[in-house]
Amino acid sequence: MSRTVYVNGAYLPEEEAKVSVFDRGFLFADGVYEVTSVIDGKLIDFEGHARRLARSLGELEMPNPLTEDALLAIHRELVARNDLTEGMIYLQVTRGAADRDFAYPKDPDPTVVLFTQARSLVDSPAARTGMKVISIPDIRWGRRDIKTVQLLYPSMGKMAAKKAGADDAWMVEDGFVTEGTSNNAYIVTRTGKIVTRHLGEEILHGITRAAVLRFAREAQMEVEERPFTIAEAQEAEEAFITSASTFVMPVVELDGTPIGTGKPGPVATRLREIYLEETRKAAT
Ligand code: PDD
């Protein structure tokens, strides 16, 4: 069935929604995006995603085309028009169409696109079995805190993982794990401490990360924000990832080495439960 998507102020059947061949998102990956999950027909952490969008746009000197209220209204309209009970809303803002030139256009007219993806997120087979990951070098650009649409290397990483019989890749820079191809990475040490890389320009400041760390601290779990190595992760009791589309997902194997028991561990399992319970309560 055809979806209704949003393009520059209009709600259209997906077949009729078009963007210019001169769009800078297409020509230069000059655009940013957000993915917000929907459970029970409600938005998870909308405010966090709207704020990060504003920050990404600001870092690229791109005007913010929509107020937070207008953005919320579009998200809700798409949920209603597509009868979405569970899945994601993808949002992309580019600097718009202009004759090809490396310099930014003087008066950019941003392109805004949103569409829904229906998907079962809560009842996920991977949450029961855990994921296998491989490590790859992190050769992305240096401003990973800006959520740009330059996703070719993460795509290549995902394909390398698939070829190796794994589900995803963790990226490594200067000997330390930065993050997963589209998620933040964590380990649980033998003493039960949750370790995840500190924030900086090297990783995306995950909205799910912020919520999960808050819930972990509230549940008296110890959290340490610092870099860790692949070797440390292979010796860890547990590992997991977080993102808007996976919530908290256990990782049970890294470069062929089982982590802990090789099965989803109690910390990741508990954090997934807490995250789902708390965010469902707060969903808008
Ligand atoms: N990816 N790190 C990277 C590189 C990401 O692309 C993402 C999200 C995250 C997690 O951020 P959040 O918790 O705010 O979703 C971390 C989205 C889901 C995607 O590209 O589909």
mmCIF file of all heavy atoms in Angstrom, residues 148-169:
data_model
loop_
_atom_site.group_PDB
_atom_site.id
_atom_site.type_symbol
_atom_site.label_atom_id
_atom_site.label_comp_id
_atom_site.label_asym_id
_atom_site.label_seq_id
_atom_site.Cartn_x
_atom_site.Cartn_y
_atom_site.Cartn_z
ATOM 1 N N THR A 148 24.542 13.959 9.810
ATOM 2 C CA THR A 148 24.418 14.209 8.381
ATOM 3 C C THR A 148 23.990 12.936 7.638
ATOM 4 O O THR A 148 24.088 11.828 8.173
ATOM 5 C CB THR A 148 25.742 14.690 7.753
ATOM 6 O OG1 THR A 148 26.621 13.572 7.654
ATOM 7 C CG2 THR A 148 26.384 15.783 8.555
ATOM 8 N N VAL A 149 23.572 13.121 6.391
ATOM 9 C CA VAL A 149 23.131 11.986 5.577
ATOM 10 C C VAL A 149 24.297 11.330 4.826
ATOM 11 O O VAL A 149 24.076 10.505 3.941
ATOM 12 C CB VAL A 149 22.019 12.395 4.576
ATOM 13 C CG1 VAL A 149 20.770 12.817 5.324
ATOM 14 C CG2 VAL A 149 22.478 13.501 3.633
ATOM 15 N N GLN A 150 25.537 11.636 5.208
ATOM 16 C CA GLN A 150 26.695 10.966 4.586
ATOM 17 C C GLN A 150 26.816 9.573 5.193
ATOM 18 O O GLN A 150 27.597 9.378 6.118
ATOM 19 C CB GLN A 150 27.991 11.682 4.927
ATOM 20 C CG GLN A 150 28.067 13.157 4.677
ATOM 21 C CD GLN A 150 29.409 13.675 5.146
ATOM 22 O OE1 GLN A 150 30.433 13.383 4.555
ATOM 23 N NE2 GLN A 150 29.427 14.414 6.234
ATOM 24 N N LEU A 151 26.057 8.618 4.680
ATOM 25 C CA LEU A 151 25.991 7.313 5.340
ATOM 26 C C LEU A 151 26.603 6.186 4.515
ATOM 27 O O LEU A 151 26.320 5.012 4.768
ATOM 28 C CB LEU A 151 24.536 6.993 5.697
ATOM 29 C CG LEU A 151 23.917 7.959 6.727
ATOM 30 C CD1 LEU A 151 22.445 7.649 6.936
ATOM 31 C CD2 LEU A 151 24.657 7.905 8.056
ATOM 32 N N LEU A 152 27.457 6.547 3.543
ATOM 33 C CA LEU A 152 28.009 5.487 2.696
ATOM 34 C C LEU A 152 28.924 4.554 3.498
ATOM 35 O O LEU A 152 28.825 3.332 3.370
ATOM 36 C CB LEU A 152 28.760 6.093 1.505
ATOM 37 C CG LEU A 152 29.334 5.079 0.521
ATOM 38 C CD1 LEU A 152 28.257 4.131 0.010
ATOM 39 C CD2 LEU A 152 30.000 5.781 -0.659
ATOM 40 N N TYR A 153 29.799 5.123 4.325
ATOM 41 C CA TYR A 153 30.713 4.242 5.067
ATOM 42 C C TYR A 153 29.962 3.343 6.067
ATOM 43 O O TYR A 153 30.233 2.136 6.113
ATOM 44 C CB TYR A 153 31.846 5.027 5.741
ATOM 45 C CG TYR A 153 32.861 4.068 6.327
ATOM 46 C CD1 TYR A 153 33.614 3.235 5.496
ATOM 47 C CD2 TYR A 153 33.025 3.946 7.696
ATOM 48 C CE1 TYR A 153 34.513 2.319 6.022
ATOM 49 C CE2 TYR A 153 33.929 3.032 8.232
ATOM 50 C CZ TYR A 153 34.669 2.217 7.376
ATOM 51 O OH TYR A 153 35.552 1.303 7.907
ATOM 52 N N PRO A 154 28.991 3.885 6.820
ATOM 53 C CA PRO A 154 28.191 2.985 7.653
ATOM 54 C C PRO A 154 27.483 1.890 6.836
ATOM 55 O O PRO A 154 27.386 0.743 7.287
ATOM 56 C CB PRO A 154 27.178 3.926 8.313
ATOM 57 C CG PRO A 154 27.898 5.237 8.374
ATOM 58 C CD PRO A 154 28.724 5.295 7.126
ATOM 59 N N SER A 155 27.043 2.211 5.617
ATOM 60 C CA SER A 155 26.438 1.197 4.745
ATOM 61 C C SER A 155 27.460 0.127 4.381
ATOM 62 O O SER A 155 27.163 -1.070 4.406
ATOM 63 C CB SER A 155 25.947 1.827 3.439
ATOM 64 O OG SER A 155 24.679 2.359 3.601
ATOM 65 N N MET A 156 28.686 0.586 4.045
ATOM 66 C CA MET A 156 29.748 -0.373 3.710
ATOM 67 C C MET A 156 30.056 -1.269 4.910
ATOM 68 O O MET A 156 30.291 -2.477 4.764
ATOM 69 C CB MET A 156 31.016 0.381 3.270
ATOM 70 C CG MET A 156 30.883 1.069 1.921
ATOM 71 S SD MET A 156 32.223 2.246 1.617
ATOM 72 C CE MET A 156 33.598 1.118 1.352
ATOM 73 N N GLY A 157 30.044 -0.686 6.088
ATOM 74 C CA GLY A 157 30.307 -1.444 7.317
ATOM 75 C C GLY A 157 29.254 -2.514 7.548
ATOM 76 O O GLY A 157 29.550 -3.641 7.938
ATOM 77 N N LYS A 158 28.015 -2.122 7.308
ATOM 78 C CA LYS A 158 26.901 -3.069 7.469
ATOM 79 C C LYS A 158 27.056 -4.227 6.478
ATOM 80 O O LYS A 158 26.818 -5.393 6.820
ATOM 81 C CB LYS A 158 25.592 -2.307 7.206
ATOM 82 C CG LYS A 158 24.374 -2.974 7.688
ATOM 83 C CD LYS A 158 24.074 -2.616 9.136
ATOM 84 C CE LYS A 158 22.789 -3.292 9.594
ATOM 85 N NZ LYS A 158 22.593 -3.162 11.032
ATOM 86 N N MET A 159 27.458 -3.919 5.252
ATOM 87 C CA MET A 159 27.647 -4.962 4.239
ATOM 88 C C MET A 159 28.824 -5.867 4.608
ATOM 89 O O MET A 159 28.754 -7.092 4.411
ATOM 90 C CB MET A 159 27.876 -4.341 2.852
ATOM 91 C CG MET A 159 26.665 -3.628 2.284
ATOM 92 S SD MET A 159 25.130 -4.565 2.389
ATOM 93 C CE MET A 159 25.480 -5.904 1.250
ATOM 94 N N ALA A 160 29.899 -5.280 5.135
ATOM 95 C CA ALA A 160 31.055 -6.087 5.568
ATOM 96 C C ALA A 160 30.616 -7.041 6.671
ATOM 97 O O ALA A 160 31.005 -8.216 6.691
ATOM 98 C CB ALA A 160 32.184 -5.177 6.062
ATOM 99 N N ALA A 161 29.762 -6.555 7.582
ATOM 100 C CA ALA A 161 29.256 -7.396 8.666
ATOM 101 C C ALA A 161 28.435 -8.548 8.089
ATOM 102 O O ALA A 161 28.629 -9.713 8.460
ATOM 103 C CB ALA A 161 28.415 -6.561 9.630
ATOM 104 N N LYS A 162 27.550 -8.239 7.178
ATOM 105 C CA LYS A 162 26.705 -9.281 6.565
ATOM 106 C C LYS A 162 27.555 -10.342 5.891
ATOM 107 O O LYS A 162 27.288 -11.537 6.023
ATOM 108 C CB LYS A 162 25.761 -8.658 5.526
ATOM 109 C CG LYS A 162 24.498 -8.102 6.144
ATOM 110 C CD LYS A 162 23.595 -7.549 5.055
ATOM 111 C CE LYS A 162 22.399 -6.849 5.653
ATOM 112 N NZ LYS A 162 21.164 -7.522 5.545
ATOM 113 N N LYS A 163 28.586 -9.889 5.140
ATOM 114 C CA LYS A 163 29.461 -10.833 4.439
ATOM 115 C C LYS A 163 30.168 -11.749 5.419
ATOM 116 O O LYS A 163 30.479 -12.893 5.119
ATOM 117 C CB LYS A 163 30.499 -10.068 3.611
ATOM 118 C CG LYS A 163 30.006 -9.785 2.222
ATOM 119 C CD LYS A 163 31.083 -9.136 1.366
ATOM 120 C CE LYS A 163 30.418 -8.336 0.261
ATOM 121 N NZ LYS A 163 31.207 -7.192 -0.153
ATOM 122 N N ALA A 164 30.456 -11.223 6.621
ATOM 123 C CA ALA A 164 31.169 -11.996 7.643
ATOM 124 C C ALA A 164 30.194 -12.827 8.489
ATOM 125 O O ALA A 164 30.594 -13.439 9.480
ATOM 126 C CB ALA A 164 31.980 -11.050 8.534
ATOM 127 N N GLY A 165 28.914 -12.824 8.128
ATOM 128 C CA GLY A 165 27.926 -13.601 8.881
ATOM 129 C C GLY A 165 27.509 -12.929 10.176
ATOM 130 O O GLY A 165 26.959 -13.569 11.078
ATOM 131 N N ALA A 166 27.767 -11.610 10.287
ATOM 132 C CA ALA A 166 27.408 -10.864 11.497
ATOM 133 C C ALA A 166 26.269 -9.891 11.193
ATOM 134 O O ALA A 166 25.801 -9.803 10.052
ATOM 135 C CB ALA A 166 28.629 -10.120 12.033
ATOM 136 N N ASP A 167 25.842 -9.165 12.226
ATOM 137 C CA ASP A 167 24.685 -8.272 12.063
ATOM 138 C C ASP A 167 25.072 -6.811 11.922
ATOM 139 O O ASP A 167 24.324 -6.014 11.379
ATOM 140 C CB ASP A 167 23.763 -8.409 13.285
ATOM 141 C CG ASP A 167 23.367 -9.851 13.523
ATOM 142 O OD1 ASP A 167 22.683 -10.411 12.657
ATOM 143 O OD2 ASP A 167 23.770 -10.427 14.554
ATOM 144 N N ASP A 168 26.209 -6.450 12.501
ATOM 145 C CA ASP A 168 26.588 -5.035 12.474
ATOM 146 C C ASP A 168 28.089 -4.912 12.719
ATOM 147 O O ASP A 168 28.759 -5.909 13.012
ATOM 148 C CB ASP A 168 25.808 -4.252 13.544
ATOM 149 C CG ASP A 168 25.788 -2.748 13.256
ATOM 150 O OD1 ASP A 168 26.139 -2.334 12.135
ATOM 151 O OD2 ASP A 168 25.439 -1.979 14.176
ATOM 152 N N ALA A 169 28.588 -3.675 12.589
ATOM 153 C CA ALA A 169 30.018 -3.430 12.810
ATOM 154 C C ALA A 169 30.207 -2.337 13.852
ATOM 155 O O ALA A 169 29.434 -1.371 13.892
ATOM 156 C CB ALA A 169 30.685 -3.029 11.500
#
